[in-house]
Amino acid sequence: AQTIHQWPVAEIKAVGSPLSLGCTIKGKSSPNLYWYWQATGGTLQQLFYSITVGQVESVVQLNLSASRPKDDQFILSTEKLLLSHSGFYLCAWSPDRGNSDYTFGSGTRLLVI
Amino acid sequence: GDQVEQSPSALSLHEGTGSALRCNFTTTMRAVQWFRKNSRGSLINLFYLASGTKENGRLKSAFDSKERYSTLHIRDAQLEDSGTYFCAAENMGYKLTFGTGTSLLVDP
């Protein structure tokens, strides 16, 4: 069975500090991977997606970047956090672009102060 | 851009009764998913539909791509069904757009 693991569970970070959020998927080769973000009171927005190692597409510009260093790993990062980065971050995977049955991770709650 | 209009935003049901949630789409969608938010804020899959209907226990979902809507029916609601439900639809360009959610409260 496939499993998706996200870390950390929660973070409190200072404005201007760096951030790295991680996501791994086990039990599925070549998954499509996604990062979503939800501001407090807002709707979930897709930030990035990746269909293969080393290839990442940006959907929404939020001064964040994403990388896929391995087939089963998706990283979301920034060198300088903004207050507006606060919110809830979710990683997700789907089997392929023809089958969009998404499975979400448990999420990371981020507070930037 | 694509919009997903979810209704109602809040729903109150007595235990044992039922109702339906609905999502309307402004463009043709290739598939829809329904989720329930867990206590941590993450999303638990309820249904994935590329067409037609699916049923699981007291939940049933339908998706009509041509008419641009999807529904989630809850019957015989139980207290533990309380929570927030989301639909999400994938357009032909593989972008997933979420509805704004329905907060369901089931009371005795």
Side-chain angles (χ1 to χ4, degrees), chain B residues 14-84:
Chain B
H14 291 306
E15 205 173 4
T17 63
S19 188
L21 284 57
R22 184 178 177 106
C23 282
N24 292 325
F25 316 122
T26 57
T27 57
T28 301
M29 300 296 185
R30 66 187 305 122
V32 69
Q33 277 191 271
W34 284 91
F35 298 93
R36 179 178 171 175
K37 201 171 185 179
N38 69 8
S39 57
R40 277 213 67 243
S42 188
L43 299 172
I44 307 301
N45 288 12
L46 298 176
F47 293 103
Y48 165 75
L49 298 102
S51 65
T53 63
K54 285 188 178 178
E55 191 165 357
N56 184 3
R58 295 177 291 99
L59 298 178
K60 181 177 178 180
S61 183
F63 173 46
D64 190 325
S65 176
K66 184 179 176 184
E67 298 300 322
R68 300 184 181 176
Y69 77 91
S70 178
T71 55
L72 177 69
H73 291 258
I74 301 173
R75 62 174 175 85
D76 189 25
Q78 302 298 303
L79 297 177
E80 60 265 28
D81 294 332
S82 294
T84 305

Side-chain angles (χ1 to χ4, degrees), chain A residues 20-84:
Chain A
S20 181
L21 304 182
C23 177
T24 56
I25 292 84
K26 299 298 181 187
K28 171 63 182 171
S29 63
S30 304
N32 289 340
L33 300 176
Y34 311 86
W35 278 110
Y36 282 82
W37 169 72
Q38 182 178 30
T40 303
T43 56
L44 271 166
Q45 297 182 67
Q46 190 178 102
L47 298 178
F48 299 94
Y49 70 88
S50 170
I51 61 173
T52 192
V53 175
Q55 191 174 354
V56 177
E57 299 294 331
S58 173
V59 178
V60 173
Q61 283 294 331
L62 279 181
N63 293 310
L64 295 168
S65 60
S67 64
R68 188 168 177 177
K70 302 178 185 178
D71 185 53
D72 63 353
Q73 194 172 74
F74 207 20
I75 307 295
L76 183 70
S77 61
T78 182
E79 292 188 1
K80 286 188 178 181
L81 277 166
L82 307 172
L83 287 174
S84 56

